Amino acid sequence: MRTRSVRRPAPALAALLLAAALALTGCGAGDDTSGGSNSAADRGVAASGADGKAGSAEAAPGGVGSGAKATAPPKAAASHIIRTASLTVQVKDVPKALEQARTGTENAGGYVGNETTTRDAEGRERTRVVLRVPVEKYDEVLAELEGTGKLLDRSAKAEDVTEQVVDVQSRITSQRASVARIRELMDRAGKLSDVVTLEGELSTRQADLEALLARQESLKDRTSLATITLSLSETPVKKEAKDDDPGFVDALAGGWNAFVTMLRWLAVAFGAVLPFAAVAALIVLLWVRVVRPRLPRRPAPAPATTALGPLPMARPAPEATRPRTPDEQD
């Protein structure tokens, strides 16, 4: 009895698997090309990123060096702190103390900023000056300024902006790379519409880069140089008034102040009423002198008359003919 040897179709199975792999690869490529409507700038960014990765891979002679760099511990970032202080010092001679502060600031490697000087009615000066000193000399200069006279007030502030500095630096790096990619795309653009679009994109990204650079410069200036606001005054410190019970002099002064205040308010009220009184007096004067004399006068009433003539008017009886009363007879 013969048994048939069954042969497995190995070549056919291998061909089937290869076709399936090619089909899956084509589907993935189709999805990548139709995944979204990216702009020419974004596609250029992706292409340049891929080229950069390939170049870095070719530049590395082996995986040993790259692995050593990847596993190296990161360096600790330096702290960036903005330091500000405000001092109020009473001195005997303001110009001399100001000159001393200028000399100390310049010797420390700093400079003098805004300066304002005033003089009161008694001829005493008061100066306010802004000093910028390196952070390394901040404590030394601050102690020197405090020793120029009698310290009246002091306030200091420290603000940590390390995160802002690192963030701005990272954004500047990314923005510079973005600007460079846009320039490369402009060099390879063939249509005028693409050139116009890329020029607008380049202008926007260049403006963002300049703003970031200005912010970085401001942070660098504020963290490398501390700001000290110094106020120098020759005015003595005013003593606080004692809280004693009021006496006769205090009561007299309070009454006089109240009397003066009342007179002031009366004067104000008189001044407010005076225009109305003047107008009223003028109206009365015009009535008496001009209008009233021109009005027609009423005639006097005529005496009563009869057919025989006017009636005589009654006259009072003489003293002799007047009858006497009983009291007068007695």
Side-chain angles (χ1 to χ4, degrees), residues 116-190:
T116 304
T117 302
T118 58
R119 189 183 299 270
D120 58 8
E122 299 179 2
R124 291 175 294 195
E125 291 186 3
R126 181 179 179 86
T127 299
R128 181 178 181 273
V129 62
V130 178
L131 308 175
R132 303 297 307 279
V133 297
V135 177
E136 298 79 9
K137 301 289 185 178
Y138 170 73
D139 296 330
E140 180 181 347
V141 174
L142 199 61
E144 182 179 353
L145 293 176
E146 291 178 0
T148 56
K150 183 179 180 180
L151 181 63
L152 303 181
D153 186 22
R154 171 182 173 175
S155 62
K157 181 181 178 182
E159 181 183 359
D160 190 357
V161 293
T162 305
E163 294 183 0
Q164 297 183 24
V165 173
V166 174
D167 178 67
V168 170
Q169 180 61 40
S170 176
R171 293 172 62 184
I172 287 175
T173 303
S174 301
Q175 199 69 17
R176 281 176 174 170
S178 177
V179 170
R181 288 192 291 267
I182 294 296
R183 293 184 184 276
E184 292 177 2
L185 292 175
M186 289 182 62
D187 294 338
R188 292 182 295 177

Side-chain angles (χ1 to χ4, degrees), residues 16 49 51 74 150 264:
L16 181 61
D51 295 339
K150 183 179 180 180
R264 186 182 298 110

Side-chain angles (χ1 to χ4, degrees), residues 192-202:
L192 180 60
S193 58
D194 295 341
V195 174
V196 173
T197 304
L198 291 173
E199 284 182 350
E201 188 68 21
L202 178 62

Side-chain angles (χ1 to χ4, degrees), residues 76-262:
S79 59
H80 300 272
I81 300 176
I82 298 176
R83 298 185 182 275
T84 57
S86 177
L87 295 177
T88 302
V89 182
Q90 179 185 349
V91 296
K92 296 181 180 179
D93 190 355
V94 169
K96 182 178 179 181
L98 180 59
E99 185 63 27
Q100 183 179 353
R102 287 178 177 173
T103 304
T105 302
E106 293 175 357
N107 292 337
Y111 65 93
V112 180
N114 298 333
E115 179 182 341
T116 304
T117 302
T118 58
R119 189 183 299 270
D120 58 8
E122 299 179 2
R124 291 175 294 195
E125 291 186 3
R126 181 179 179 86
T127 299
R128 181 178 181 273
V129 62
V130 178
L131 308 175
R132 303 297 307 279
V133 297
V135 177
E136 298 79 9
K137 301 289 185 178
Y138 170 73
D139 296 330
E140 180 181 347
V141 174
L142 199 61
E144 182 179 353
L145 293 176
E146 291 178 0
T148 56
K150 183 179 180 180
L151 181 63
L152 303 181
D153 186 22
R154 171 182 173 175
S155 62
K157 181 181 178 182
E159 181 183 359
D160 190 357
V161 293
T162 305
E163 294 183 0
Q164 297 183 24
V165 173
V166 174
D167 178 67
V168 170
Q169 180 61 40
S170 176
R171 293 172 62 184
I172 287 175
T173 303
S174 301
Q175 199 69 17
R176 281 176 174 170
S178 177
V179 170
R181 288 192 291 267
I182 294 296
R183 293 184 184 276
E184 292 177 2
L185 292 175
M186 289 182 62
D187 294 338
R188 292 182 295 177
K191 297 181 180 180
L192 180 60
S193 58
D194 295 341
V195 174
V196 173
T197 304
L198 291 173
E199 284 182 350
E201 188 68 21
L202 178 62
S203 176
T204 302
R205 300 193 183 190
Q206 190 70 31
D208 296 340
L209 177 59
E210 292 177 358
L212 290 172
L213 290 174
R215 185 179 178 186
Q216 183 187 42
E217 189 65 24
S218 175
L219 288 173
K220 182 180 178 181
D221 177 72
R222 296 169 63 190
T223 54
S224 60
L225 295 176
T227 303
I228 302 176
T229 303
L230 177 63
S231 297
L232 300 173
S233 174
E234 297 178 355
T235 306
V237 183
K238 296 182 180 180
K239 297 182 179 180
E240 297 181 358
K242 297 182 179 179
D243 189 12
D244 297 333
D245 296 334
F248 174 76
V249 177
D250 298 332
L252 182 62
W256 175 256
N257 293 334
F259 177 71
V260 172
T261 303
M262 183 189 67

Side-chain angles (χ1 to χ4, degrees), residues 294-320:
R294 295 183 180 182
L295 294 177
R297 297 182 178 180
R298 296 181 180 180
T305 58
T306 60
L308 298 177
L311 295 176
M313 298 189 63
R315 295 181 179 179
E319 187 67 21

